[in-house]
Amino acid sequence: FFLQFFAMSANSSRSTSKQTKTLTGAQTISEAYHESNKLYQKVKSSTLASSSTEYHDLIKDAARSVLKVNQMVETLALFSDNETLRDISSVNLKYLMCDYMYGYLFLNLHDQNHREICIREGLGAVRKFLSRVEDLELMSEQDKALYKRSGQPGPIVSARMEKISRLKQNRKMKSDLDELLKLEKQRAENEGVVDDDDREEDENERKKWILMIKLAVSDSLDHLRFAADELKMLEFRRKREADMKKNGGGGSRSAEGGNILKELKYQSNQKKPPSILHIKNAQDFMHQTGIIPRLGSGGAPNISKGMQTLN
């Protein structure tokens, strides 16, 4: 399906880049990866509207490019199921990012005619990336726990602590990555640009890609949660529309869509929401909540000056 899906825009796309075309020529996998990464970064930094044809074409160009690299990775058998992180050379670490990049692109392809399919394809790639990274023991214990819950938060108290911890962890990794990128830039200015394939023994190169993979893990866990929620909503909408069509029902599709989130929220809990207290002032609040009795039932004590300031 996706080869056909890509082909639909290949002829009409005005944004098909020179880089994408060169992938069909005699090109090394390293060159192919960097060309793909340029398109991927262009998508990430794009200011185009997510619903625009130009943005969709840009994503499809990038996805085709990443898919080509992924096929080269499989053809060259760069990775095996029983290898450890130590077994993977520093120059090959970047190719672990391909599944993440491919998943990211599809999850950001807001084609309303194929949105549900795009989410499923994107989630499949993201899960493949996370599974491989977990096998290589590149996940923290906290990320492993979150991965087992498919990115969904735990109990309220622990979820808050987990969120704060992840933010601190990501901030530290980004800071470390920035330092490594500065060193890489300085080295390039002093010694000239060094090809990736010549950095096998460069410890900083290895650290850089490991940090980038770990940051991609954190981003992927967020994608698992939000994309799964969106998929659930789309499935619910499709089922409702099918039921309405079957029963001969009418109604506005936009009105249906507007009520989906509300219905999902209350479908397993049909209790009425608690009644709203109409509070005039602090003393009225204390009366309505039973903190102090009303006048005529023993008299009301004096309220503190702090509470009086709320009136």
Side-chain angles (χ1 to χ4, degrees):
F1 168 82
F2 288 100
L3 293 177
Q4 296 175 347
F5 185 55
F6 289 144
M8 284 192 293
S9 65
N11 295 327
S12 61
S13 172
R14 291 180 296 173
S15 63
T16 301
S17 64
K18 179 180 179 181
Q19 290 93 334
T20 303
K21 291 178 182 178
T22 60
L23 288 176
T24 58
Q27 191 177 38
T28 68
I29 187 171
S30 179
E31 292 170 340
Y33 175 85
H34 286 295
E35 298 292 357
S36 299
N37 190 48
K38 286 179 183 178
L39 288 171
Y40 167 74
Q41 295 298 335
K42 191 174 180 180
V43 170
K44 293 192 71 174
S45 61
S46 174
T47 57
L48 293 169
S50 62
S51 59
S52 69
T53 301
E54 292 81 4
Y55 185 70
H56 290 176
D57 289 343
L58 181 61
I59 286 184
K60 290 171 186 177
D61 281 345
R64 273 191 292 265
S65 183
V66 175
L67 181 61
K68 180 72 175 183
V69 179
N70 247 340
Q71 291 172 342
M72 295 173 75
V73 169
E74 293 181 4
T75 300
L76 297 171
L78 294 185
F79 306 118
S80 61
D81 294 334
N82 59 350
E83 67 185 350
T84 65
L85 180 62
R86 186 178 296 180
D87 297 326
I88 300 177
S89 67
S90 297
V91 297
N92 286 343
L93 283 174
K94 58 180 171 287
Y95 303 120
L96 292 172
M97 293 284 288
C98 287
D99 286 321
Y100 162 74
M101 293 162 63
Y102 186 78
Y104 173 91
L105 292 167
F106 264 95
L107 291 174
N108 282 275
L109 184 56
H110 296 277
D111 185 321
Q112 295 306 312
N113 294 324
H114 305 95
R115 181 59 182 156
E116 188 175 333
I117 299 174
C118 289
I119 292 176
R120 291 185 185 280
E121 181 75 1
L123 282 176
V126 166
R127 290 190 180 109
K128 183 180 176 183
F129 166 73
L130 289 171
S131 177
R132 186 184 293 276
V133 170
E134 184 183 30
D135 290 342
L136 294 172
E137 299 182 350
L138 271 172
M139 265 191 203
S140 66
E141 291 301 319
Q142 182 175 261
D143 285 345
K144 283 182 182 179
L146 194 56
Y147 178 38
K148 288 180 179 178
R149 300 196 304 270
S150 296
Q152 297 296 328
I156 296 177
V157 176
S158 61
R160 176 173 173 77
M161 294 177 63
E162 184 179 74
K163 182 178 180 180
I164 293 173
S165 177
R166 289 185 69 210
L167 285 172
K168 289 181 178 179
Q169 175 181 283
N170 287 352
R171 194 178 297 119
K172 175 67 167 58
M173 288 192 295
K174 288 177 181 178
S175 176
D176 292 343
L177 180 59
D178 285 342
E179 288 299 317
L180 290 172
L181 292 175
K182 286 179 183 178
L183 291 173
E184 185 178 276
K185 184 177 179 180
Q186 290 173 0
R187 180 176 177 179
E189 291 174 351
N190 296 331
E191 305 175 13
V193 178
V194 180
D195 188 83
D196 285 355
D197 293 338
D198 297 327
R199 295 180 180 177
E200 178 59 41
E201 303 302 325
D202 189 339
E203 189 61 28
N204 284 342
E205 179 75 2
R206 190 172 188 83
K207 289 179 181 178
K208 179 188 77 174
W209 285 109
I210 287 177
L211 283 171
M212 291 181 73
I213 290 169
K214 288 182 176 181
L215 285 168
V217 166
S218 181
D219 191 47
S220 295
L221 291 170
D222 290 334
H223 282 314
L224 280 186
R225 175 187 176 186
F226 295 118
D229 289 346
E230 184 183 355
L231 186 60
K232 190 181 298 183
M233 185 179 70
L234 290 172
E235 289 173 342
F236 184 81
R237 173 186 290 172
R238 177 165 47 79
K239 184 177 182 299
R240 283 296 302 274
E241 290 179 348
D243 289 344
M244 289 179 64
K245 186 175 181 180
K246 181 179 179 181
N247 297 327
S252 168
R253 178 174 179 176
S254 60
E256 275 298 310
N259 290 322
I260 288 176
L261 286 175
K262 184 185 294 184
E263 293 187 43
L264 281 173
K265 185 175 181 181
Y266 289 105
Q267 64 183 351
S268 61
N269 182 5
Q270 299 298 325
K271 294 181 180 179
K272 294 182 179 180
S275 59
I276 300 174
L277 294 178
H278 298 282
I279 308 300
K280 298 178 180 177
N281 51 46
Q283 188 168 3
D284 192 29
F285 169 78
M286 298 176 78
H287 285 148
Q288 291 202 42
T289 55
I291 297 176
I292 60 174
R294 291 187 178 277
L295 291 175
S297 59
N302 294 327
I303 7 179
S304 67
K305 293 182 179 179
M307 290 295 287
Q308 289 176 0
T309 60
L310 299 177
N311 291 335

